[in-house]
Amino acid sequence: MSQGGAGGLDAVFRPRSVAVIGASRKRGTIGAEIFANLLRHDFAGTVFPVNREARVVQSVRAYPTVLDIPDPVDLAVVVVPGAAVPGVVAECGRKGVGGLVVISAGFKETGEAGAAAERALVAAVRQHGMRMVGPNCLGVLNTAADVSLDATFAPTYPPAGNVAFLSQSGALGVAILDHARALGIGVSIFCSMGNKGDVSGNDLLEYLEADPATKVILLYLESFGNPRKFGRLAQRIGRAKPIVAVKSGRSAAGARAASSHTGSLAGADVAVDALCRQAGVIRVDVVEDLFSMAMLLAHQPVPAGPRVAILSNAGGPGILAADSLEQNGLEVATLGADTQARLRETLPPEASVRNPVDMIASATPVNYRRCAEALLAAPEVDALLAIFVPPITGDTAAVARAVVEAERAGRAAGRAKTVVCCIMGTHGVLQGVAELQEGGVPCYPYPTGAALALARAAQYGAWLARPTGRAFAFATEAEGEAAARRGRAALAGSEAEPAAPRWLAPGSIEALLGAYDLPTLRARTCEPAADAAAQAATRLRFPVALKIHSATITHKSDVGGVALGLATPEAVRDAARAMLERLEAAGQRGAVDGFQVQEMAPDGLEVIVGVTQDPSFGPLVMFGLGGVYAELLRDVAFRITPLTDVDAAQMVRSVRSWPLLDGYRGAPPADVPALEALLGRVGQMVERHPEILEMDLNPVRVLPRGRGVVVVDARVRAGAPVGRPPPGA
């Protein structure tokens, strides 16, 4: 059989026939349970057990090898010892099998010998034109009525639905399927990716993009094969189908260097956060949150805005919900007079019609429906959080039905808004949850969980509403090539073979920044001698700043290596002598490579712009306020290149201290467009020059609006590029 459509993966997820190689007569073994699952859940095609010893497996005629099966085989599920897998795969290739799911372990997860065996396995699979999920995986399933494929050894088969799960962990895959059934989350496709020897997470994303049954995609990832490709795919697919991801490894030690401000601020996880933020992926912290988001996104519209109405029969939970909403960036909607009047029509005088709406404990299902309808009709409301604390005599199921009916009435009237529910306690909860699940309204045990799910959905909605942005570029390709040539020359300097990591000299840095039109101050460099510093200063306009140049001292001001506002050559000479004496006393005189004398910068807000390289993700660009206080404040934002104008604008506005740039308390607004342009040029620079390993532009002075920005100080470390996929991969 040929590979079929969708990158060959139809053979895996929509096969017409399946062979289980290693199917067993002994129940409880993996081969037996996979074969039993295919039969139990009514696979729409033909199933062939392959067992070298048995003639019959679970009442079905068995075959010694896949080659002995008389009919075509689309998918082979391989459940044999690892050492036997290559021979089985070779037989599948000769048979013309289109897809493989290799359950067997013993490959790269075991060490270098296993990794070599896996590379050989993948080469054989591709030689025969097959596609392979695994090895070392739980299996795959597809609940579509015309497929009904359960090629896993999981004990649970989920209800059919529109949520796809991709898991890099087989054990978590079992738990995911169990929870999906318990929570009533309908699954379209499930895939345990295992070692991702052939079929990658990116391949699966592309397949799910075209799958009409899938509306939401949930991911559990331990690693990215090609993060840049993942980002491009997620950004495209996420416009139509939300992607929710748990990425483990938040606490792993970072692999990047930390000899600059930027490197020390770039923790192990910032690249993943930046990727998800730019690509619109909803990143959650734990697997439970995958289900929280799935319950909401599978059936409810994405919130059109941040304004939430809270409807409750108890004051405390309503206040708790309000606090949680605001802590997660949402707004407790201010209800208009018309809305309050409509609420008052159905509520007793002691109820509160301000948000949160407290209907008091005696609230009936009728109260819930009428109030929910009023809130969903209100133009000042984007989403509704309904909370019910069941009293002893309360009918939880009836209240749940009332919320569902109000939600349906809003849809019918063309006012589809996001509705979530929270039922607290235990009295009648199961019946109420069942009513809500059937009606497509997600239910959470506590208001905080409901508020967090709403906040993440609203952030996704805001990402959808933003323009995709345009990449920063030179006016012409010729200008870009000229900048790249000048940049390469500056980075090479006098080095014949500039592969060893090194900090660039001030002159090389000035040439590099100049190649990309990054504004700098006039400066002169000289040997580390007081008279030479004074002489260099005479070629500039006083007052000047004096700084040491050192390949090893990162924080010059910490060692007294900066003097500002020097008005005469004599003042420069005295300051230089004092610096050298201090460094001599501290045993650091030998670390001084020279002096830099620089004209004083105009007044403005100090920010830091930096670059660090991630071995997998490539260049990370950082922005933050604070200049020399950047590491203390840690108020920074990171993005992965290439940067768009939208990325740059979001970076600047995402830090807590953004109001300082926007004219805080009557101060003149800073030149934010010039700052965004500088971020864009830095992104262009590091895309064209992967040999830039670290860079700090610190501080950068942002002048009042219309006056631009200026780089006051810069450090650049260059060397052989770190290994990463090329930008176009």
Side-chain angles (χ1 to χ4, degrees), residues 291 404 520 588:
F291 300 111
V404 170
T520 57
Q588 293 183 292

Side-chain angles (χ1 to χ4, degrees), residues 86-103:
V88 167
V89 167
E91 291 175 346
C92 288
R94 295 202 301 274
K95 176 66 176 176
V97 172
L100 299 170
V101 175
V102 179
I103 308 294

Side-chain angles (χ1 to χ4, degrees), residues 677-699:
L678 180 138
L679 287 167
R681 287 195 288 273
V682 168
Q684 287 177 284
M685 178 194 299
V686 296
E687 277 284 296
R688 290 175 179 266
H689 302 291
E691 62 269 37
I692 296 175
L693 304 181
E694 293 181 86
M695 181 169 70
D696 280 341
L697 307 182
N698 184 37

Side-chain angles (χ1 to χ4, degrees), residues 19 42 144 293 328 347 365 414 444 455 488 501 590-591 622 662 671 691 694 728:
D42 298 325
M293 296 310 305
N328 287 288
L347 293 176
Y444 303 88
R488 286 192 293 270
M622 184 193 77
D662 199 34
D671 199 336
E691 62 269 37
E694 293 181 86

Side-chain angles (χ1 to χ4, degrees), residues 36 50 133 147 157 162 198 258 282 302 317 362 471 494 521 555 598 608:
V50 175
V133 172
V147 180
Y157 189 71
N162 58 16
D198 172 45
I282 304 169
V302 175
S362 59
S494 59
L521 298 168
H555 305 288
Q598 190 179 56
I608 180 173

Side-chain angles (χ1 to χ4, degrees), residues 582-591:
R582 281 193 297 272
L583 291 164
E584 182 75 38
Q588 293 183 292
R589 173 65 177 82

